[in-house]
Amino acid sequence: MPILQDFLRHEMPAHLAVQVRSCIRTQWPFLTRENTQLWNYTPQANPSRHFMLTEGELLISHAAANVREISHQGRNWRVAGLSTVFTYPDRRGAGFAGQVVAAATRYILQSDADLAMLFAGHPLQKFYATHGWSAVPDARILFGSPQSPVLKTDNLVMMLFLSPFACDYREWFTKQDFYVGESTW
């Protein structure tokens, strides 16, 4: 029977960290090309929290969430991100991704974030919508070098508007560039 667990990044057991890192290397190789470290166990100021379903020592499904402070155009935002959602192929189709996404979304909803973002392929819009996320197809999200950021155009942007402050700015995200940092989530 699968067990739902969550860990701060630096507290994750090595046998699970290896499985997370392996799947990330397979699914999103561009995320790890420059990094030859297996896993970062150094505590960070705002560590990501990893939600996972496990059975014995095997990882079945995973989602990560983090919150970061972003200063943009004179405003400070607490922005959460949901990322690296996956289920190992031999366990897909049984609702496991939904369980880790639900747990990560609950964590984000209980955080002090103003808003949350995730980037997904268009076919996953309905899946994330069932967990409360809204598509913002015209959002203008920038990342990369602050001197020459790039516009994130390869995925659908989905968001949660959590604080009254963010709710008031919902339409703003479709008209203004919003820089999230060197990397997305």
Side-chain angles (χ1 to χ4, degrees):
M1 179 80 170
I3 298 170
L4 180 65
Q5 301 182 75
D6 69 279
F7 301 96
L8 292 174
R9 179 182 180 88
H10 59 277
E11 295 173 346
M12 189 184 307
H15 71 280
L16 295 174
V18 168
Q19 293 174 76
V20 170
R21 175 79 166 151
S22 295
C23 196
I24 290 171
R25 288 182 65 208
T26 303
Q27 281 296 119
W28 305 282
F30 57 89
L31 292 177
T32 59
R33 233 178 248 129
E34 304 291 319
N35 184 358
T36 58
Q37 185 178 11
L38 178 61
W39 196 253
N40 183 355
Y41 289 102
T42 305
Q44 300 168 339
N46 293 309
S48 54
R49 182 163 291 275
H50 296 257
F51 299 84
M52 51 192 69
L53 279 168
T54 62
E55 196 165 48
E57 291 185 338
L58 291 181
L59 176 63
I60 296 170
S61 195
H62 171 274
N66 64 52
V67 179
R68 66 173 82 150
E69 187 83 27
I70 295 176
S71 294
H72 186 75
Q73 295 187 346
R75 290 181 170 80
N76 290 327
W77 301 81
R78 297 275 303 154
V79 182
L82 178 66
S83 67
T84 57
V85 176
F86 64 82
T87 299
Y88 270 87
D90 64 330
R91 301 307 280 278
R92 290 183 183 157
F96 295 128
Q99 291 179 53
V100 294
V101 166
T105 301
R106 278 192 304 274
Y107 169 77
I108 290 169
L109 291 171
Q110 294 168 2
S111 75
D112 62 351
D114 293 304
L115 63 115
M117 295 181 192
L118 66 81
F119 305 102
H122 289 274
L124 293 171
Q125 180 176 346
K126 184 177 178 183
F127 168 75
Y128 287 109
T130 64
H131 297 283
W133 294 81
S134 299
V136 186
D138 296 326
R140 300 190 42 80
I141 308 302
L142 302 172
F143 72 102
S145 162
Q147 294 77 23
S148 56
V150 282
L151 182 64
K152 181 88 171 136
T153 59
D154 59 338
N155 290 113
L156 175 65
V157 177
M158 297 192 74
M159 301 176 85
L160 294 171
F161 294 90
L162 304 169
S163 71
F165 174 63
C167 291
D168 290 345
Y169 280 84
R170 184 181 181 122
E171 188 176 325
W172 183 84
F173 283 95
T174 66
K175 297 181 175 143
Q176 301 289 322
D177 292 345
F178 188 75
Y179 177 71
V180 297
E182 293 279 333
S183 65
T184 58
W185 314 115

